[in-house]
Amino acid sequence: MKKSSSVLMTVTGFVILLGGLLTYGLGIHELVPVPRPDLIVAGASLIGSLLITAGACDLFTKKTKEMEIEEHDERNIAINNAAMASGYKVMSIAIVLSLFALIFTGYMTTVSCFTIIGAYFLGQIAYAAQLWHLNRTM
């Protein structure tokens, strides 16, 4: 990952973490009309901490010349792309099965259901658009 995206990820993590802690410290989380206001603080703190950790790990690791050469090797890029493609297929199936199970067991609300379905279709549309584009250009 490029250094600028790692810095952006770390800074975004700090902003989200501090925002979550400020909502707790100022008592704003209790004023927000959501069913579980305590989850605002926990969710923001967790997401912020994860972003900080991921960004800091990328910033503080040093790559040797061998690692950089190996990273740009065509074979390794092809292996990485094949692994991501398999992961995408598994994730797509897992999301559909999880959504099905949560809907029919009664644990899914309408808003979260349509949000997850929208995100799923967005991924499928991006896949189809990229496939069409690559078929035309290659």
Side-chain angles (χ1 to χ4, degrees):
M1 200 183 301
K2 292 187 176 183
K3 190 171 187 165
S4 60
S5 62
S6 297
V7 170
L8 180 66
M9 187 185 311
T10 306
V11 169
T12 304
F14 273 115
V15 169
I16 292 173
L17 177 64
L18 291 176
L21 294 176
L22 276 175
T23 58
Y24 179 73
L26 298 175
I28 298 172
H29 70 285
E30 294 175 0
L31 302 175
V32 180
V34 295
R36 296 277 312 269
D38 56 325
L39 291 180
I40 294 172
V41 178
S45 301
L46 179 65
I47 291 169
S49 299
L50 291 174
L51 286 173
I52 291 169
T53 303
C57 286
D58 286 340
L59 286 175
F60 294 128
T61 55
K62 299 260 184 196
K63 291 184 181 177
T64 63
K65 283 287 187 188
E66 290 177 5
M67 291 171 78
E68 288 182 20
I69 291 171
E70 196 170 305
E71 184 177 298
H72 298 293
D73 182 30
E74 289 182 23
R75 179 178 176 271
N76 290 336
I77 292 171
I79 290 171
N80 189 30
N81 288 341
M84 282 194 294
S86 298
Y88 174 76
K89 290 177 185 176
V90 169
M91 183 183 65
S92 294
I93 294 168
I95 286 176
V96 169
L97 293 176
S98 300
L99 197 59
F100 179 78
L102 290 171
I103 288 171
F104 288 105
T105 56
Y107 288 106
M108 182 66 68
T109 64
T110 306
V111 174
S112 57
C113 178
F114 284 121
T115 302
I116 293 171
I117 290 172
Y120 177 77
F121 279 126
L122 183 65
Q124 297 299 319
I125 290 168
Y127 166 73
Q130 187 69 9
L131 183 65
W132 177 78
H133 174 71
L134 290 174
N135 280 332
R136 290 193 59 163
T137 58
M138 295 180 126

